[in-house]
Amino acid sequence: MRKWLILGIVVIGLIGSIAYITYQNIDRNLNNLLKQEIEDISLSRVDDGKFVGEFEAFPITVKLEVEIENHKIKNIVILKHENGQGRPAESIIQSVIESNSIDVDVISGASYSSKVILNAISNAINQK
């Protein structure tokens, strides 16, 4: 009986350690995301068309399509958004289309997903 108790304590300790390390890595990754500058876009140099962009900052991944017409952002379609609870950030797309710029405020409560979406838009337009 005592061996099982010791084994249980060791297993719980290992699981706790792995969870802590995982949390620290995710936290560091997301904090770096908030500090990162997003490469600006210059629509005057972009031809009409549809451009796919992606960006990932674990645990958030976004893939989207940006449609450009007459040097303006006509539409943005999210093809994939793995985000945990960041779904409200998708409303940032309307702000980007209306301002024809990625220089918009992030969505309160969904800062990480907002930044990932903006980076994906930048990557699509700048073809990265």
Side-chain angles (χ1 to χ4, degrees):
M1 182 69 160
R2 184 179 163 135
K3 281 197 257 183
W4 289 109
L5 178 62
I6 293 171
L7 182 61
I9 291 171
V10 169
V11 168
I12 290 171
L14 283 172
I15 291 171
S17 296
I18 291 169
Y20 177 75
I21 291 168
T22 301
Y23 170 78
Q24 291 291 53
N25 285 333
I26 291 171
D27 188 53
R28 182 177 47 249
N29 198 24
L30 293 177
N31 283 327
N32 288 338
L33 172 67
L34 290 180
K35 295 175 193 171
Q36 178 185 359
E37 292 292 321
I38 301 171
E39 185 178 345
D40 201 13
I41 57 174
S42 178
L43 294 170
S44 64
R45 293 182 274 174
V46 180
D47 293 330
D48 289 356
K50 293 182 179 181
F51 306 91
V52 175
E54 299 179 69
F55 194 83
E56 178 179 353
F58 185 78
I60 304 165
T61 302
V62 170
K63 181 176 183 179
L64 48 73
E65 180 182 74
V66 179
E67 184 177 0
I68 305 293
E69 188 176 281
N70 296 321
H71 304 289
K72 293 188 184 217
I73 299 172
K74 181 178 180 185
N75 195 23
I76 300 171
V77 176
I78 292 185
L79 305 172
K80 174 181 170 186
H81 186 195
E82 295 173 1
N83 57 31
Q85 298 178 350
R87 186 99 24 228
E90 293 179 3
S91 65
I92 201 167
I93 288 172
Q94 192 58 40
S95 298
V96 170
I97 293 170
E98 288 172 3
S99 67
N100 206 41
S101 169
I102 58 171
D103 188 19
V104 296
D105 292 334
V106 297
I107 304 302
S108 179
S111 300
Y112 301 129
S113 283
S114 296
K115 292 277 285 197
V116 171
I117 290 169
L118 293 173
N119 272 293
I121 294 168
S122 173
N123 288 347
I125 294 171
N126 293 319
Q127 288 300 289
K128 290 191 171 186

